[in-house]
């Protein structure tokens, strides 16, 4: 090992020791989204999708929850655990998809479609969730929409997930024009190239991908569903059509199988903002506490609770 590499590795060890020490002092847990950098997932107490993690945060005895993820995820944890301190280590880590909708936009859409129910994907700001009839995840979106009495549904903010839902329901879906740039930038050409490179591999796509990408998938799955499918399938090779952070856990939990990213461009910049030093600083200096005003928290909590009653 070169001297530079040895110094870097000693620096990483020191930062991890600082994280462990402050985690104990603060009686904290670290939870990391499936899209976080490998080294962050490696030091986390729990990894998962945004809702799994918010539920875990609510169940833990810990008083401080460090959420390695993006703003809407830390907010969701706070919605379910208002009495706990929820920290987002990088306060600028926003979600470009969540930013495609505001509460005012949604109020106007409701006025235009007064008969329609409003289903809001969890990748959205708390004040938007607060105006929804019910929330959904990518794993349960179809089930949530089909459970509603209304024949029309405003589905926001992801247009590709809305399209996926529309294919699996009799209801009229009114899609919001938002999308996740990490998923939406991928085209049928990328799929063709990945399939040509790995002809034996099963292709799992996330429903935030474009319809022509999902249309070529062996299965369209949320991140938690991908983890379950990769374990259960006899196949030993998979092309993974979602953010590349997902490969860390897939590989760790299935060492005998091989996972290929659909494209090396599937990198969410916001998800990659968190560093080990940010985690250590978050714990030592209590950075950055997430606050959701109580009337908004109550409204958003009700929309989440309505979803949890469905599944
Ligand atoms: O809700 C989540 O965690 C995201 C962003 C994706 C998924 O499918 O789990």
């Amino acid at each position: 090992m070169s001297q530079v590499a040895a110094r870097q590795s000693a620096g990483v060890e020191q930062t991890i020791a600082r994280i462990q020490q402050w985690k104990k002092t603060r009686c904290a847990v670290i939870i990391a989204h499936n899209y976080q950098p490998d080294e962050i997932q490696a030091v986390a107490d729990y990894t998962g999708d945004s809702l799994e993690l918010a539920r875990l945060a609510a169940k833990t005895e810990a008083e401080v929850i460090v959420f390695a993820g993006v703003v809407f995820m830390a907010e969701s944890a706070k919605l379910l655990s208002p009495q706990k301190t929820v920290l987002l280590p990088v306060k600028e880590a926003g979600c470009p998809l969540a930013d495609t909708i505001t509460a005012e936009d949604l109020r106007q859409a409701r006025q235009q479609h007064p008969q329609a129910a409003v289903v809001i994907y969890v990748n959205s700001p708390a004040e938007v969730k607060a105006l929804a009839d019910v929330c959904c995840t990518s794993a349960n979106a179809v089930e949530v929409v089909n459970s509603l009495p209304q024949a029309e549904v405003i589905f926001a903010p992801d247009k590709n997930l809305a399209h996926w839902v529309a294919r699996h329901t009799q209801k009229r879906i009114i899609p919001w024009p938002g999308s996740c740039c990490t998923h939406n930038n991928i085209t049928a050409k990328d799929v063709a190239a990945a399939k040509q490179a790995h002809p034996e591999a099963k292709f799992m796509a996330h429903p935030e991908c474009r319809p022509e990408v999902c249309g070529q998938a062996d299965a369209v799955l949320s991140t938690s569903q991908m983890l379950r499918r990769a374990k259960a399938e006899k196949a030993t090779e998979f092309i993974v059509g979602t953010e590349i952070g997902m490969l860390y856990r897939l590989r760790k939990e299935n060492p005998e199988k091989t996972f290929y990213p659909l494209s090396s461009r599937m990198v969410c910049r916001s998800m990659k903002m968190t560093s080990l030093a940010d985690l250590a600083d978050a714990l030592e200096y209590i950075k950055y506490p997430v606050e959701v005003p109580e009337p908004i928290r109550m409204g958003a909590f009700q929309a989440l609770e309505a979803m949890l009653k469905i599944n």
Side-chain angles (χ1 to χ4, degrees), residues 138-197:
S138 51
N140 65 19
V142 172
E143 202 181 340
V144 166
V145 165
N146 281 335
S147 75
L148 298 169
Q150 292 89 338
E152 277 187 341
V153 176
I154 297 171
F155 190 97
D158 192 280
K159 64 178 180 183
N160 293 330
L161 182 58
H163 187 276
W164 176 250
V165 171
R167 277 190 55 191
H168 294 87
T169 184
Q170 302 293 321
K171 297 182 191 288
R172 188 168 94 85
I173 301 294
I174 304 161
W176 199 261
S179 63
C180 158
C181 41
T182 307
H183 289 91
N184 195 53
N185 282 347
I186 300 305
T187 65
K189 247 180 157 180
D190 296 299
V191 180
K195 285 193 170 194
Q196 199 182 14

Short mmCIF file of all heavy atoms in Angstrom, two decimals, residues 138-197:
data_model
loop_
_atom_site.label_atom_id
_atom_site.label_comp_id
_atom_site.label_asym_id
_atom_site.label_seq_id
_atom_site.Cartn_x
_atom_site.Cartn_y
_atom_site.Cartn_z
N SER A 138 -43.53 2.57 -4.00
CA SER A 138 -43.51 1.92 -5.31
C SER A 138 -43.94 0.46 -5.19
O SER A 138 -44.41 -0.13 -6.15
CB SER A 138 -42.13 2.04 -5.96
OG SER A 138 -41.14 1.60 -5.07
N ALA A 139 -43.81 -0.09 -3.98
CA ALA A 139 -44.19 -1.50 -3.79
C ALA A 139 -45.71 -1.68 -3.72
O ALA A 139 -46.24 -2.71 -4.12
CB ALA A 139 -43.54 -2.04 -2.52
N ASN A 140 -46.43 -0.67 -3.19
CA ASN A 140 -47.88 -0.90 -2.97
C ASN A 140 -48.77 0.05 -3.78
O ASN A 140 -49.99 0.09 -3.55
CB ASN A 140 -48.21 -0.80 -1.47
CG ASN A 140 -47.97 0.60 -0.91
OD1 ASN A 140 -47.90 1.57 -1.65
ND2 ASN A 140 -47.88 0.71 0.41
N ALA A 141 -48.20 0.81 -4.73
CA ALA A 141 -48.97 1.84 -5.44
C ALA A 141 -50.24 1.28 -6.10
O ALA A 141 -51.33 1.86 -5.99
CB ALA A 141 -48.09 2.51 -6.48
N VAL A 142 -50.11 0.13 -6.77
CA VAL A 142 -51.26 -0.43 -7.49
C VAL A 142 -52.35 -0.83 -6.48
O VAL A 142 -53.54 -0.50 -6.66
CB VAL A 142 -50.82 -1.66 -8.33
CG1 VAL A 142 -52.02 -2.37 -8.93
CG2 VAL A 142 -49.85 -1.23 -9.43
N GLU A 143 -51.93 -1.48 -5.43
CA GLU A 143 -52.88 -1.92 -4.40
C GLU A 143 -53.61 -0.73 -3.75
O GLU A 143 -54.83 -0.77 -3.53
CB GLU A 143 -52.07 -2.67 -3.34
CG GLU A 143 -52.86 -3.62 -2.51
CD GLU A 143 -51.96 -4.29 -1.48
OE1 GLU A 143 -50.72 -4.31 -1.66
OE2 GLU A 143 -52.52 -4.78 -0.48
N VAL A 144 -52.85 0.33 -3.46
CA VAL A 144 -53.46 1.52 -2.84
C VAL A 144 -54.49 2.12 -3.78
O VAL A 144 -55.64 2.39 -3.38
CB VAL A 144 -52.36 2.56 -2.46
CG1 VAL A 144 -52.98 3.91 -2.13
CG2 VAL A 144 -51.52 2.06 -1.29
N VAL A 145 -54.13 2.31 -5.05
CA VAL A 145 -55.07 2.92 -6.01
C VAL A 145 -56.32 2.04 -6.16
O VAL A 145 -57.45 2.54 -6.13
CB VAL A 145 -54.36 3.14 -7.38
CG1 VAL A 145 -55.36 3.42 -8.48
CG2 VAL A 145 -53.35 4.28 -7.25
N ASN A 146 -56.13 0.74 -6.27
CA ASN A 146 -57.28 -0.14 -6.46
C ASN A 146 -58.18 -0.22 -5.24
O ASN A 146 -59.34 -0.60 -5.35
CB ASN A 146 -56.80 -1.55 -6.86
CG ASN A 146 -56.42 -1.59 -8.33
OD1 ASN A 146 -56.92 -0.79 -9.13
ND2 ASN A 146 -55.52 -2.50 -8.69
N SER A 147 -57.66 0.16 -4.09
CA SER A 147 -58.48 0.08 -2.87
C SER A 147 -59.44 1.26 -2.73
O SER A 147 -60.33 1.25 -1.88
CB SER A 147 -57.56 0.04 -1.64
OG SER A 147 -57.04 1.34 -1.41
N LEU A 148 -59.26 2.30 -3.56
CA LEU A 148 -60.03 3.53 -3.36
C LEU A 148 -61.41 3.46 -4.01
O LEU A 148 -61.56 2.83 -5.07
CB LEU A 148 -59.26 4.72 -3.95
CG LEU A 148 -57.90 4.99 -3.29
CD1 LEU A 148 -57.11 6.00 -4.10
CD2 LEU A 148 -58.10 5.49 -1.86
N PRO A 149 -62.42 4.12 -3.44
CA PRO A 149 -63.76 4.09 -4.05
C PRO A 149 -63.86 4.96 -5.31
O PRO A 149 -64.67 4.68 -6.19
CB PRO A 149 -64.68 4.63 -2.95
CG PRO A 149 -63.79 5.39 -2.01
CD PRO A 149 -62.40 4.81 -2.12
N GLN A 150 -63.03 5.99 -5.44
CA GLN A 150 -63.15 6.92 -6.57
C GLN A 150 -62.70 6.25 -7.89
O GLN A 150 -61.79 5.42 -7.89
CB GLN A 150 -62.28 8.17 -6.37
CG GLN A 150 -62.76 9.08 -5.25
CD GLN A 150 -62.18 8.72 -3.89
OE1 GLN A 150 -61.75 7.59 -3.65
NE2 GLN A 150 -62.20 9.67 -2.98
N ALA A 151 -63.33 6.71 -8.99
CA ALA A 151 -62.97 6.15 -10.31
C ALA A 151 -61.79 6.90 -10.93
O ALA A 151 -61.17 6.41 -11.86
CB ALA A 151 -64.18 6.25 -11.23
N GLU A 152 -61.52 8.10 -10.38
CA GLU A 152 -60.41 8.92 -10.91
C GLU A 152 -59.40 9.16 -9.81
O GLU A 152 -59.78 9.42 -8.66
CB GLU A 152 -60.94 10.29 -11.33
CG GLU A 152 -61.55 10.35 -12.68
CD GLU A 152 -61.87 11.81 -13.04
OE1 GLU A 152 -61.95 12.67 -12.13
OE2 GLU A 152 -62.01 12.07 -14.22
N VAL A 153 -58.12 9.15 -10.19
CA VAL A 153 -57.07 9.34 -9.17
C VAL A 153 -55.99 10.28 -9.70
O VAL A 153 -55.41 10.02 -10.77
CB VAL A 153 -56.43 7.97 -8.80
CG1 VAL A 153 -55.27 8.17 -7.82
CG2 VAL A 153 -57.46 7.01 -8.21
N ILE A 154 -55.73 11.34 -8.95
CA ILE A 154 -54.54 12.16 -9.23
C ILE A 154 -53.38 11.41 -8.61
O ILE A 154 -53.40 11.11 -7.40
CB ILE A 154 -54.65 13.57 -8.59
CG1 ILE A 154 -55.83 14.34 -9.19
CG2 ILE A 154 -53.34 14.34 -8.75
CD1 ILE A 154 -56.14 15.66 -8.47
N PHE A 155 -52.39 11.06 -9.43
CA PHE A 155 -51.26 10.29 -8.92
C PHE A 155 -50.00 11.13 -9.10
O PHE A 155 -49.61 11.48 -10.22
CB PHE A 155 -51.12 8.96 -9.68
CG PHE A 155 -50.13 8.04 -9.03
CD1 PHE A 155 -50.55 7.03 -8.18
CD2 PHE A 155 -48.77 8.22 -9.24
CE1 PHE A 155 -49.62 6.20 -7.54
CE2 PHE A 155 -47.84 7.39 -8.61
CZ PHE A 155 -48.27 6.39 -7.76
N ALA A 156 -49.34 11.46 -7.98
CA ALA A 156 -48.19 12.37 -8.04
C ALA A 156 -47.10 11.90 -7.07
O ALA A 156 -47.39 11.20 -6.11
CB ALA A 156 -48.65 13.79 -7.67
N PRO A 157 -45.81 12.33 -7.26
CA PRO A 157 -45.39 13.18 -8.37
C PRO A 157 -44.71 12.43 -9.51
O PRO A 157 -44.25 13.09 -10.45
CB PRO A 157 -44.38 14.12 -7.70
CG PRO A 157 -43.76 13.34 -6.60
CD PRO A 157 -44.81 12.33 -6.16
N ASP A 158 -44.62 11.11 -9.51
CA ASP A 158 -43.81 10.42 -10.54
C ASP A 158 -44.67 9.93 -11.70
O ASP A 158 -45.51 9.04 -11.55
CB ASP A 158 -43.04 9.25 -9.91
CG ASP A 158 -42.00 8.72 -10.87
OD1 ASP A 158 -42.35 7.95 -11.78
OD2 ASP A 158 -40.83 9.11 -10.73
N LYS A 159 -44.43 10.48 -12.89
CA LYS A 159 -45.26 10.13 -14.05
C LYS A 159 -45.02 8.68 -14.50
O LYS A 159 -45.92 8.03 -15.03
CB LYS A 159 -45.00 11.09 -15.22
CG LYS A 159 -43.60 11.04 -15.77
CD LYS A 159 -43.41 11.98 -16.95
CE LYS A 159 -41.97 11.87 -17.44
NZ LYS A 159 -41.64 12.76 -18.51
N ASN A 160 -43.80 8.18 -14.32
CA ASN A 160 -43.53 6.80 -14.77
C ASN A 160 -44.21 5.79 -13.85
O ASN A 160 -44.77 4.79 -14.33
CB ASN A 160 -42.02 6.54 -14.83
CG ASN A 160 -41.36 7.37 -15.92
OD1 ASN A 160 -41.99 7.67 -16.94
ND2 ASN A 160 -40.11 7.75 -15.71
N LEU A 161 -44.17 6.06 -12.55
CA LEU A 161 -44.88 5.17 -11.62
C LEU A 161 -46.40 5.27 -11.89
O LEU A 161 -47.11 4.26 -11.86
CB LEU A 161 -44.55 5.54 -10.17
CG LEU A 161 -45.19 4.68 -9.09
CD1 LEU A 161 -44.83 3.20 -9.24
CD2 LEU A 161 -44.77 5.16 -7.68
N ALA A 162 -46.86 6.49 -12.21
CA ALA A 162 -48.29 6.68 -12.54
C ALA A 162 -48.65 5.82 -13.77
O ALA A 162 -49.70 5.18 -13.81
CB ALA A 162 -48.57 8.15 -12.83
N HIS A 163 -47.77 5.81 -14.74
CA HIS A 163 -48.01 5.02 -15.96
C HIS A 163 -48.07 3.52 -15.62
O HIS A 163 -48.93 2.79 -16.11
CB HIS A 163 -46.89 5.29 -16.97
CG HIS A 163 -47.13 4.66 -18.30
ND1 HIS A 163 -46.80 3.35 -18.57
CD2 HIS A 163 -47.67 5.15 -19.43
CE1 HIS A 163 -47.13 3.06 -19.81
NE2 HIS A 163 -47.66 4.13 -20.35
N TRP A 164 -47.17 3.09 -14.74
CA TRP A 164 -47.13 1.68 -14.33
C TRP A 164 -48.44 1.31 -13.63
O TRP A 164 -49.04 0.27 -13.89
CB TRP A 164 -45.92 1.45 -13.41
CG TRP A 164 -45.84 0.07 -12.85
CD1 TRP A 164 -46.04 -0.30 -11.55
CD2 TRP A 164 -45.58 -1.14 -13.57
NE1 TRP A 164 -45.90 -1.65 -11.42
CE2 TRP A 164 -45.62 -2.19 -12.64
CE3 TRP A 164 -45.32 -1.43 -14.91
CZ2 TRP A 164 -45.41 -3.52 -13.01
CZ3 TRP A 164 -45.11 -2.76 -15.27
CH2 TRP A 164 -45.15 -3.77 -14.32
N VAL A 165 -48.90 2.22 -12.75
CA VAL A 165 -50.16 1.98 -12.03
C VAL A 165 -51.32 1.92 -13.02
O VAL A 165 -52.18 1.03 -12.95
CB VAL A 165 -50.39 3.09 -10.97
CG1 VAL A 165 -51.79 2.99 -10.37
CG2 VAL A 165 -49.34 3.00 -9.86
N ALA A 166 -51.32 2.86 -13.98
CA ALA A 166 -52.43 2.93 -14.95
C ALA A 166 -52.56 1.61 -15.73
O ALA A 166 -53.67 1.22 -16.12
CB ALA A 166 -52.21 4.10 -15.92
N ARG A 167 -51.44 0.93 -15.93
CA ARG A 167 -51.48 -0.35 -16.66
C ARG A 167 -52.11 -1.46 -15.83
O ARG A 167 -52.44 -2.52 -16.34
CB ARG A 167 -50.05 -0.79 -17.01
CG ARG A 167 -49.52 -0.14 -18.25
CD ARG A 167 -48.22 -0.78 -18.68
NE ARG A 167 -48.32 -2.23 -18.86
CZ ARG A 167 -47.27 -3.02 -19.03
NH1 ARG A 167 -46.07 -2.53 -19.03
NH2 ARG A 167 -47.43 -4.32 -19.18
N HIS A 168 -52.23 -1.22 -14.51
CA HIS A 168 -52.70 -2.29 -13.62
C HIS A 168 -53.97 -1.91 -12.87
O HIS A 168 -54.22 -2.42 -11.78
CB HIS A 168 -51.59 -2.66 -12.62
CG HIS A 168 -50.41 -3.27 -13.29
ND1 HIS A 168 -49.38 -2.51 -13.79
CD2 HIS A 168 -50.12 -4.55 -13.58
CE1 HIS A 168 -48.48 -3.31 -14.34
NE2 HIS A 168 -48.91 -4.55 -14.24
N THR A 169 -54.71 -0.96 -13.42
CA THR A 169 -55.97 -0.57 -12.76
C THR A 169 -57.00 -0.19 -13.81
O THR A 169 -56.64 0.17 -14.94
CB THR A 169 -55.73 0.63 -11.80
OG1 THR A 169 -56.93 0.91 -11.11
CG2 THR A 169 -55.27 1.89 -12.52
N GLN A 170 -58.27 -0.28 -13.41
CA GLN A 170 -59.35 0.16 -14.30
C GLN A 170 -59.61 1.66 -14.12
O GLN A 170 -60.36 2.27 -14.86
CB GLN A 170 -60.67 -0.57 -13.93
CG GLN A 170 -60.60 -2.08 -13.99
CD GLN A 170 -60.42 -2.56 -15.42
OE1 GLN A 170 -60.99 -2.01 -16.34
NE2 GLN A 170 -59.58 -3.57 -15.59
N LYS A 171 -59.02 2.24 -13.09
CA LYS A 171 -59.31 3.65 -12.78
C LYS A 171 -58.61 4.59 -13.76
O LYS A 171 -57.59 4.23 -14.35
CB LYS A 171 -58.86 3.96 -11.34
CG LYS A 171 -59.64 3.15 -10.32
CD LYS A 171 -59.23 3.48 -8.92
CE LYS A 171 -59.79 2.48 -7.94
NZ LYS A 171 -61.24 2.61 -7.75
N ARG A 172 -59.18 5.80 -13.86
CA ARG A 172 -58.53 6.81 -14.71
C ARG A 172 -57.45 7.50 -13.88
O ARG A 172 -57.76 8.11 -12.84
CB ARG A 172 -59.54 7.84 -15.21
CG ARG A 172 -58.94 8.77 -16.24
CD ARG A 172 -60.01 9.60 -16.93
NE ARG A 172 -60.20 10.90 -16.29
CZ ARG A 172 -59.46 11.96 -16.56
NH1 ARG A 172 -58.49 11.91 -17.44
NH2 ARG A 172 -59.70 13.11 -15.95
N ILE A 173 -56.21 7.37 -14.32
CA ILE A 173 -55.09 7.97 -13.58
C ILE A 173 -54.75 9.31 -14.20
O ILE A 173 -54.53 9.42 -15.42
CB ILE A 173 -53.85 7.04 -13.62
CG1 ILE A 173 -54.17 5.67 -13.01
CG2 ILE A 173 -52.65 7.69 -12.93
CD1 ILE A 173 -54.49 5.69 -11.52
N ILE A 174 -54.72 10.33 -13.34
CA ILE A 174 -54.30 11.67 -13.79
C ILE A 174 -52.86 11.84 -13.30
O ILE A 174 -52.63 12.06 -12.11
CB ILE A 174 -55.24 12.76 -13.21
CG1 ILE A 174 -56.68 12.45 -13.60
CG2 ILE A 174 -54.80 14.15 -13.66
CD1 ILE A 174 -57.73 13.14 -12.74
N PRO A 175 -51.88 11.69 -14.22
CA PRO A 175 -50.49 11.68 -13.74
C PRO A 175 -49.92 13.08 -13.53
O PRO A 175 -50.31 14.02 -14.22
CB PRO A 175 -49.74 10.99 -14.89
CG PRO A 175 -50.53 11.29 -16.11
CD PRO A 175 -51.98 11.50 -15.68
N TRP A 176 -49.04 13.20 -12.56
CA TRP A 176 -48.27 14.43 -12.37
C TRP A 176 -47.07 14.34 -13.31
O TRP A 176 -46.54 13.25 -13.51
CB TRP A 176 -47.80 14.50 -10.91
CG TRP A 176 -47.42 15.88 -10.52
CD1 TRP A 176 -46.16 16.39 -10.48
CD2 TRP A 176 -48.31 16.92 -10.15
NE1 TRP A 176 -46.21 17.70 -10.10
CE2 TRP A 176 -47.52 18.06 -9.89
CE3 TRP A 176 -49.69 17.01 -10.03
CZ2 TRP A 176 -48.06 19.26 -9.50
CZ3 TRP A 176 -50.24 18.21 -9.64
CH2 TRP A 176 -49.43 19.32 -9.38
N PRO A 177 -46.59 15.49 -13.84
CA PRO A 177 -45.50 15.37 -14.83
C PRO A 177 -44.08 15.23 -14.23
O PRO A 177 -43.10 15.41 -14.94
CB PRO A 177 -45.62 16.67 -15.64
CG PRO A 177 -46.28 17.63 -14.73
CD PRO A 177 -47.14 16.86 -13.78
N GLY A 178 -43.96 14.90 -12.96
CA GLY A 178 -42.62 14.79 -12.35
C GLY A 178 -41.93 13.48 -12.68
O GLY A 178 -42.57 12.51 -13.10
N SER A 179 -40.61 13.46 -12.48
CA SER A 179 -39.87 12.19 -12.63
C SER A 179 -38.56 12.28 -11.87
O SER A 179 -38.10 13.37 -11.52
CB SER A 179 -39.61 11.88 -14.10
OG SER A 179 -38.79 12.87 -14.66
N CYS A 180 -37.97 11.11 -11.64
CA CYS A 180 -36.66 11.02 -10.99
C CYS A 180 -35.63 11.01 -12.12
O CYS A 180 -35.66 10.10 -12.96
CB CYS A 180 -36.59 9.73 -10.18
SG CYS A 180 -34.90 9.19 -9.87
N CYS A 181 -34.73 12.00 -12.13
CA CYS A 181 -33.80 12.07 -13.28
C CYS A 181 -32.92 10.82 -13.36
O CYS A 181 -32.60 10.36 -14.46
CB CYS A 181 -32.98 13.35 -13.26
SG CYS A 181 -32.39 13.82 -11.64
N THR A 182 -32.56 10.24 -12.22
CA THR A 182 -31.69 9.05 -12.24
C THR A 182 -32.37 7.90 -13.00
O THR A 182 -31.72 7.18 -13.75
CB THR A 182 -31.37 8.62 -10.80
OG1 THR A 182 -30.85 9.74 -10.10
CG2 THR A 182 -30.41 7.46 -10.76
N HIS A 183 -33.66 7.74 -12.81
CA HIS A 183 -34.37 6.65 -13.49
C HIS A 183 -34.85 7.07 -14.88
O HIS A 183 -34.79 6.30 -15.83
CB HIS A 183 -35.58 6.20 -12.65
CG HIS A 183 -35.19 5.47 -11.40
ND1 HIS A 183 -34.98 6.10 -10.21
CD2 HIS A 183 -34.95 4.15 -11.18
CE1 HIS A 183 -34.63 5.20 -9.29
NE2 HIS A 183 -34.61 4.01 -9.85
N ASN A 184 -35.33 8.31 -14.97
CA ASN A 184 -35.95 8.74 -16.23
C ASN A 184 -34.94 8.94 -17.36
O ASN A 184 -35.30 8.93 -18.53
CB ASN A 184 -36.74 10.04 -15.97
CG ASN A 184 -37.68 10.36 -17.09
OD1 ASN A 184 -38.49 9.51 -17.48
ND2 ASN A 184 -37.58 11.55 -17.66
N ASN A 185 -33.65 9.14 -17.00
CA ASN A 185 -32.63 9.35 -18.04
C ASN A 185 -32.27 8.08 -18.79
O ASN A 185 -31.57 8.11 -19.78
CB ASN A 185 -31.34 9.91 -17.41
CG ASN A 185 -31.48 11.38 -17.12
OD1 ASN A 185 -32.41 12.01 -17.58
ND2 ASN A 185 -30.57 11.92 -16.32
N ILE A 186 -32.72 6.95 -18.28
CA ILE A 186 -32.35 5.67 -18.89
C ILE A 186 -33.34 5.33 -20.00
O ILE A 186 -34.55 5.48 -19.83
CB ILE A 186 -32.34 4.58 -17.79
CG1 ILE A 186 -31.34 4.94 -16.70
CG2 ILE A 186 -32.04 3.20 -18.37
CD1 ILE A 186 -29.92 5.21 -17.17
N THR A 187 -32.80 4.89 -21.13
CA THR A 187 -33.66 4.64 -22.30
C THR A 187 -33.62 3.16 -22.71
O THR A 187 -32.81 2.38 -22.19
CB THR A 187 -33.18 5.48 -23.51
OG1 THR A 187 -31.88 4.98 -23.87
CG2 THR A 187 -33.10 6.95 -23.19
N ALA A 188 -34.45 2.86 -23.70
CA ALA A 188 -34.50 1.50 -24.24
C ALA A 188 -33.13 1.08 -24.80
O ALA A 188 -32.76 -0.09 -24.76
CB ALA A 188 -35.57 1.41 -25.32
N LYS A 189 -32.37 2.05 -25.28
CA LYS A 189 -31.03 1.77 -25.82
C LYS A 189 -30.11 1.23 -24.72
O LYS A 189 -29.32 0.32 -24.96
CB LYS A 189 -30.41 3.08 -26.34
CG LYS A 189 -30.23 3.15 -27.81
CD LYS A 189 -29.62 4.49 -28.13
CE LYS A 189 -28.89 4.44 -29.45
NZ LYS A 189 -28.32 5.74 -29.76
N ASP A 190 -30.21 1.83 -23.53
CA ASP A 190 -29.39 1.35 -22.40
C ASP A 190 -29.75 -0.09 -22.06
O ASP A 190 -28.89 -0.90 -21.74
CB ASP A 190 -29.60 2.24 -21.16
CG ASP A 190 -29.13 3.66 -21.38
OD1 ASP A 190 -27.93 3.83 -21.63
OD2 ASP A 190 -29.96 4.57 -21.31
N VAL A 191 -31.05 -0.39 -22.13
CA VAL A 191 -31.50 -1.75 -21.81
C VAL A 191 -30.94 -2.72 -22.85
O VAL A 191 -30.40 -3.78 -22.50
CB VAL A 191 -33.05 -1.85 -21.77
CG1 VAL A 191 -33.49 -3.26 -21.45
CG2 VAL A 191 -33.63 -0.86 -20.77
N ALA A 192 -31.03 -2.33 -24.13
CA ALA A 192 -30.53 -3.20 -25.20
C ALA A 192 -29.04 -3.48 -24.99
O ALA A 192 -28.59 -4.63 -25.11
CB ALA A 192 -30.78 -2.56 -26.55
N ALA A 193 -28.27 -2.44 -24.63
CA ALA A 193 -26.82 -2.61 -24.44
C ALA A 193 -26.54 -3.55 -23.27
O ALA A 193 -25.69 -4.44 -23.35
CB ALA A 193 -26.17 -1.25 -24.20
N ALA A 194 -27.29 -3.37 -22.16
CA ALA A 194 -27.06 -4.22 -20.97
C ALA A 194 -27.44 -5.67 -21.27
O ALA A 194 -26.73 -6.60 -20.87
CB ALA A 194 -27.86 -3.68 -19.78
N LYS A 195 -28.52 -5.84 -22.01
CA LYS A 195 -28.96 -7.22 -22.32
C LYS A 195 -27.98 -7.90 -23.27
O LYS A 195 -27.76 -9.10 -23.19
CB LYS A 195 -30.37 -7.20 -22.92
CG LYS A 195 -31.45 -6.94 -21.88
CD LYS A 195 -32.82 -7.24 -22.45
CE LYS A 195 -33.86 -7.21 -21.35
NZ LYS A 195 -35.13 -7.78 -21.74
N GLN A 196 -27.43 -7.10 -24.17
CA GLN A 196 -26.45 -7.68 -25.10
C GLN A 196 -25.18 -8.09 -24.34
O GLN A 196 -24.61 -9.15 -24.60
CB GLN A 196 -26.10 -6.66 -26.17
CG GLN A 196 -25.48 -7.33 -27.37
CD GLN A 196 -25.08 -6.33 -28.44
OE1 GLN A 196 -25.03 -5.12 -28.19
NE2 GLN A 196 -24.81 -6.80 -29.62
N ALA A 197 -24.78 -7.27 -23.38
CA ALA A 197 -23.57 -7.58 -22.60
C ALA A 197 -23.79 -8.77 -21.67
O ALA A 197 -22.86 -9.50 -21.36
CB ALA A 197 -23.14 -6.35 -21.81
#
